[in-house]
Amino acid sequence: MSEENKQKSSIWGGRFRTGPSDLMQEINASISFDKNLYSEDIEGSKAHALMLEKQQIISPEDLKAIQNGLDQIYTEISNNTFSFKIELEDIHMNIETRLAELIGEPAKRLHTARSRNDQVATDIRLWLRNRIDELDAELQRLQEILLHKAEKNIHTLMPGYTHLQTAQPISFGFHLAAYIEMMGRDRQRLQDCRKRLNESPLGAAALAGTSFPIDRHMTAKTLGFDRPMANALDAVSSRDFALEFTSAAAICAMHLSRLAEEIVIWSTDRFNFIRLSDEFTTGSSIMPQKKNPDAAELIRAKPGRIIGHFVSLATILKGLPLAYGKDMQEDKEPLFDTQKTLSISIAAMSGMIADMSVNQAAMRDALQKGHPTATDLADFLVRELNKAFRDAHHISGSLVALADDKGCPLEDLSLEDMQKIEPLLDESVFAVLKIEDACNARSSFGGTAPDELKKRLEDAASRFNLNQEMK
């Protein structure tokens, strides 16, 4: 047997006489991506070794050698001096093999009472828990940026849209505040996912537990888990936490995409509501005048990638019998890329919102089109003339049609023209057609009125633990 084949087969022990073919090695190896788990793998191994020593399964001398060796490996990987080998398949065997090179016999005792099945499940949960904490901080920062921008634009009036048609006057701050709430729910979904994944698989071994007198509660506590998972078979088989994360990430990416689309629209020449900084735009190779909102467009596209990862992961897990199947190795790449894609999308959105300037005049000019106070007119007819709302709706619609025929806003119709449609109208009607009054009137809970919006922003800062002073 060649030396290369000896090395390939050595990780399997005596059952195999030769190593896998080069093709099998290529399809089987995961080290190219699961090396991202090195920190978590070392953390889990140190906790496992600590427990083995406490339970008198390994000696204190073995524990000290293992811990020192793992510390050295961590330094090597962190400093990019570690040599990863594809023939060792994954991060677990790469670290274990290097540990044996460094400390000899004690390294062989580290794997007592565990399997790569519970080891990788533990690593992924530790990795994802850390990444969720990072994403939560990134989303919190985005909320704070939105909050700051909203507070500065409480009185910046703009059209609110339905069907992308002018609907009612709102403030720009009110519009941005909607995304504070969306991002808050995204954070809650991620936090809920974190709660469910924070149970330890370590000690489940291959699928049925172990005959060694281990203490799974100790390793769970050491690693910051709430408890050990209650069923060893479930512990090594379940990846629903990863599926739940990609689902929550897909929803968050969708929210970012909606805001990105609005940024694209608002920055067009036709709207001109905002201007993006040079840091988040690009030019054209042929048209010198162009300033393209590429960052927003890329964020708009990212949900396709993340939703694809959700579908991929769901398809991988669908129909898998318990316990572990090599299929589950395919969970890592979609999971890793989902986190990376979402993180960079949040960062880009935070940068765009922080840097963008607001064209208040253009927003106000847009309110001169589309008759945004038509609903206020209908409400006035109900409130002041005791009309049934459906009748008031019809009268207001008739006045809108008249204004369109005359090519003017509702408030520019003469009282005489209005009275031809509704004779009971008098001069008081013009007060409700003013844009500011229409916005101020919507003071119901959650409405766009400035005083109400201020209250809701203060409440959001408290509920989501946001710093109202820019960091």
Side-chain angles (χ1 to χ4, degrees):
M1 187 189 307
S2 69
E3 287 302 318
E4 183 182 6
N5 256 336
K6 284 181 181 179
Q7 188 173 27
K8 288 179 181 178
S9 63
S10 64
I11 63 173
W12 303 120
R15 175 65 179 84
F16 288 80
R17 295 187 178 90
T18 65
S21 70
D22 290 342
L23 179 58
M24 178 59 191
Q25 183 173 281
E26 184 175 354
I27 194 174
N28 193 46
S30 60
I31 189 59
S32 63
F33 49 85
D34 71 14
K35 61 186 177 183
N36 291 332
L37 298 172
Y38 80 90
S39 178
E40 289 77 17
D41 195 73
I42 290 172
E43 183 183 4
S45 289
K46 292 178 77 171
H48 184 67
L50 194 67
M51 180 274 297
L52 292 177
E53 190 275 334
K54 178 178 177 292
Q55 298 299 106
Q56 300 181 351
I57 299 171
I58 65 172
S59 69
E61 294 75 21
D62 286 343
L63 172 63
K64 184 176 180 180
I66 289 169
Q67 289 181 326
N68 290 340
L70 289 172
D71 286 341
Q72 181 173 337
I73 292 170
Y74 181 88
T75 300
E76 290 176 359
I77 299 176
S78 299
N79 294 338
N80 295 316
T81 60
F82 188 94
S83 178
F84 292 103
K85 296 180 174 66
I86 190 173
E87 61 268 18
L88 295 176
E89 291 191 2
D90 56 32
I91 188 62
H92 322 299
M93 296 310 299
N94 269 269
I95 288 177
E96 184 176 320
T97 301
R98 176 59 177 154
L99 186 63
E101 293 173 356
L102 291 172
I103 67 172
E105 191 68 22
K108 299 178 182 179
R109 299 190 177 96
L110 174 59
H111 208 54
T112 306
R114 75 173 183 184
S115 161
R116 286 192 299 175
N117 293 358
D118 64 331
Q119 191 177 356
V120 69
T122 303
D123 290 358
I124 296 174
R125 286 174 183 263
L126 287 171
W127 180 89
L128 187 54
R129 187 179 70 186
N130 292 337
R131 302 296 83 74
I132 286 176
D133 289 344
E134 291 167 2
L135 286 169
D136 181 73
E138 291 163 8
L139 282 169
Q140 183 184 43
R141 173 62 175 163
L142 175 54
Q143 284 183 297
E144 288 172 347
I145 291 169
L146 287 165
L147 178 68
H148 180 72
K149 192 71 72 171
E151 287 175 334
K152 292 180 66 175
N153 288 279
I154 287 175
H155 297 284
T156 302
L157 300 184
M158 65 175 288
Y161 297 96
T162 61
H163 308 277
L164 209 55
Q165 305 291 318
T166 298
Q168 294 176 337
I170 61 172
S171 71
F172 188 54
F174 179 72
H175 196 124
L176 294 178
Y179 286 101
I180 297 174
E181 298 296 327
M182 290 185 199
M183 302 306 162
R185 293 192 296 275
D186 290 327
R187 289 178 64 195
Q188 290 165 355
R189 271 183 284 270
L190 289 170
Q191 289 161 1
D192 286 344
C193 175
R194 189 193 191 285
K195 290 176 185 176
R196 272 182 286 279
L197 72 80
N198 202 37
E199 296 184 348
S200 174
L202 194 57
L207 77 162
T210 177
S211 59
F212 288 95
I214 63 172
D215 185 348
R216 292 188 62 207
H217 289 85
M218 176 184 172
T219 51
K221 183 178 180 181
T222 301
L223 293 170
F225 288 113
D226 293 331
R227 62 191 67 84
M229 294 185 73
N231 182 283
L233 189 61
D234 175 51
V236 300
S237 305
S238 63
R239 293 295 186 273
D240 53 346
F241 65 92
L243 194 62
E244 183 176 1
F245 171 75
T246 54
S247 172
I251 295 172
C252 181
M254 176 271 295
H255 286 154
L256 293 170
S257 180
R258 295 184 72 179
L259 179 52
E261 168 64 359
E262 297 201 292
I263 289 173
V264 171
I265 292 171
W266 292 338
S267 65
T268 61
D269 295 336
R270 297 298 179 92
F271 277 74
N272 195 29
F273 284 1
I274 62 168
R275 180 176 292 274
L276 298 174
S277 73
D278 291 350
E279 292 188 29
F280 295 96
T281 53
T282 65
S284 165
S285 63
I286 189 173
M287 294 170 285
Q289 82 281 11
K290 295 297 294 296
K291 188 174 184 181
N292 300 321
D294 282 8
E297 290 172 353
L298 288 166
I299 294 171
R300 185 175 61 185
K302 294 301 184 184
R305 186 175 185 139
I306 294 176
I307 292 168
H309 289 325
F310 172 82
V311 174
S312 172
L313 188 53
T315 305
I316 290 165
L317 297 173
K318 177 202 68 65
L320 274 185
L322 303 181
Y324 183 85
K326 197 67 172 184
D327 318 50
M328 295 170 74
Q329 182 170 288
E330 294 294 314
D331 63 352
K332 297 173 193 62
E333 288 181 286
L335 185 64
F336 293 164
D337 190 69
T338 292
Q339 178 271 328
K340 181 180 178 181
T341 301
L342 183 59
S343 179
I344 197 169
S345 296
I346 296 168
M349 182 60 74
S350 295
M352 279 192 298
I353 297 295
D355 287 355
M356 76 180 183
S357 56
V358 180
N359 188 341
Q360 298 183 4
M363 290 183 178
R364 183 57 186 255
D365 287 346
L367 282 166
Q368 302 308 309
K369 304 171 185 176
H371 311 295
T373 57
T375 304
D376 299 88
L377 175 57
D379 291 344
F380 172 84
L381 294 169
V382 171
R383 188 172 57 251
E384 301 298 329
L385 301 185
N386 201 30
K387 300 284 186 180
F389 183 78
R390 284 302 169 199
D391 293 335
H393 185 283
H394 181 80
I395 294 167
S396 182
S398 298
L399 289 168
V400 165
L402 178 60
D404 281 341
D405 290 342
K406 291 181 174 291
C408 67
L410 270 175
E411 60 265 34
D412 286 350
L413 288 175
S414 68
L415 181 60
E416 182 181 1
D417 285 336
M418 289 185 179
Q419 289 174 335
K420 290 176 182 176
I421 293 175
E422 176 47 65
L424 296 178
L425 286 172
D426 58 27
E427 291 286 346
S428 63
V429 70
F430 290 103
V432 300
L433 299 178
K434 293 179 180 178
I435 299 297
E436 287 86 357
D437 290 346
C439 189
N440 293 339
R442 283 175 165 75
S443 57
S444 59
F445 185 92
T448 190
D451 288 345
E452 174 59 20
L453 177 57
K454 287 178 184 177
K455 293 176 184 176
R456 300 286 69 78
L457 290 175
E458 290 172 1
D459 175 62
S462 175
R463 280 186 291 121
F464 301 124
N465 192 29
L466 307 180
N467 188 345
Q468 290 186 272
E469 298 294 328
M470 287 295 288
K471 297 175 182 176

